[in-house]
Amino acid sequence: ALAGILARRPRLIYIARWPAFYSDWNLARIFRNYMAEKIPCALADCTVVLTPSSRYQYQVRRWVDEKRIRMIPNAIIPEAMPSPGAMTDLKNRFGFSSDRCEVIFAGRLSDQKRVEWLLQIWAIVLRRGSSARLWIVGGGREEGACKDLAKRLCLGTSCVFLGSQPNSMAFIAAGDIVVIPKGIVHRHGA
């Protein structure tokens, strides 16, 4: 946050992925964690948290004003787990099969999610003789490009795009495997 201020960035967003307060074990850590969290929150125009408990902690500690905090929830929400009957209905409605491995990706179709990498890997999986099926649950800027890539890779019915769904947790629960492509690339050297 301080580097952003010095670089004269017009707006700063602090994304609190792993809040420091989870390691408040002694006075030294409490002070360190306060400095590590309070300063970025104070300098940023907006603080983004991932869970309701983190939002609560930032508010109760008065690190960020209510108007400047936003929550982007994780996709895995245990409270949204469908009942066994609802799960059976979902599987029947979308044609899930117990004879094959049903693989789920649930998320935004954006360049950070690297769904194009998943599709390229899926083509390799199919070439090796797998009868598994990939379900892409979600929409976004890259949806058209991902569908075009799936056609170019000849994935056919082994890759199903479902678009945005009201409860992605139901699809995550219905799948045999959930896949999350890693969207960070570390480059060493040039």
Side-chain angles (χ1 to χ4, degrees):
L2 185 57
I5 296 277
L6 293 173
R8 298 182 186 188
R9 301 303 307 164
R11 290 186 47 91
L12 297 173
I13 297 173
Y14 174 53
I15 301 172
R17 291 184 178 167
W18 303 108
F21 55 76
Y22 288 122
S23 63
D24 279 354
W25 298 324
N26 59 40
L27 285 176
R29 284 179 177 264
I30 290 170
F31 178 75
R32 180 200 68 187
N33 295 344
Y34 173 82
M35 298 301 287
E37 296 290 339
K38 176 63 176 169
I39 291 172
C41 288
L43 295 177
D45 298 290
C46 178
T47 297
V48 177
V49 296
L50 303 177
T51 66
S53 62
S54 289
R55 181 185 188 117
Y56 172 77
Q57 288 294 330
Y58 279 85
Q59 289 173 333
V60 78
R61 293 164 191 258
R62 298 174 194 236
W63 286 350
V64 64
D65 183 79
E66 170 69 27
K67 296 174 189 157
R68 295 187 308 117
I69 192 166
R70 300 286 181 269
M71 189 177 79
I72 300 175
N74 287 321
I76 307 298
I77 305 167
E79 299 82 32
M81 183 68 73
S83 68
M87 185 76 73
T88 300
D89 290 346
L90 180 130
K91 288 180 176 184
N92 289 337
R93 185 176 50 201
F94 287 96
F96 280 57
S97 172
S98 59
D99 296 335
R100 76 170 91 212
C101 181
E102 304 288 10
V103 179
I104 306 294
F105 166 83
R108 287 178 292 115
L109 301 184
S110 65
D111 55 350
Q112 299 100 336
K113 299 296 183 177
R114 300 296 182 208
V115 177
E116 72 277 10
W117 293 354
L118 173 58
L119 295 172
Q120 292 167 6
I121 290 166
W122 197 250
I124 295 168
V125 168
L126 295 177
R127 281 196 303 267
R128 293 189 176 173
S130 175
S131 63
R133 183 168 35 193
L134 175 62
W135 299 85
I136 308 284
V137 181
R141 292 187 314 253
E142 300 294 319
E143 186 170 0
C146 287
K147 287 179 177 179
D148 290 344
L149 179 58
K151 285 180 187 173
R152 285 195 313 274
L153 294 170
C154 303
L155 300 182
T157 59
S158 73
C159 178
V160 180
F161 287 86
L162 295 177
S164 294
Q165 297 293 321
N167 184 359
S168 61
M169 187 64 198
F171 290 91
I172 290 170
D176 298 308
I177 296 174
V178 175
V179 62
I180 303 171
K182 181 103 169 128
I184 299 172
V185 179
H186 296 283
R187 293 185 181 171
H188 300 284

